[in-house]
Amino acid sequence: MRRLIAALSTVVVAAALAVGAAVGVVALLDATPDQPNTPLISYDTAPAAP
C-alpha cells in the first residue's frame, strides 16, 4: 500500500511540476521585452538651400 501511495504522489508532483513549467514558459514567451524606440541607423539631412 505504501508503494502505491508513493507512486501516486510522485505522479501528482510530476504533473504539477510539468504544468508549472508549461505555464512559466508561456508567460516568458508572452512577455514583451523592453526595447527603446531608437533607430539603429540615422541619416543626417542637409539643411534646405535658401
Side-chain angles (χ1 to χ4, degrees):
M1 187 68 177
R2 288 184 187 230
R3 286 189 179 184
L4 180 62
I5 293 173
L8 287 176
S9 63
T10 302
V11 169
V12 168
V13 169
L17 284 174
V19 169
V23 169
V25 167
V26 169
L28 284 175
L29 290 176
D30 194 34
T32 55
D34 294 333
Q35 294 180 349
N37 194 13
T38 56
L40 294 176
I41 299 174
S42 61
Y43 298 102
D44 292 330
T45 56

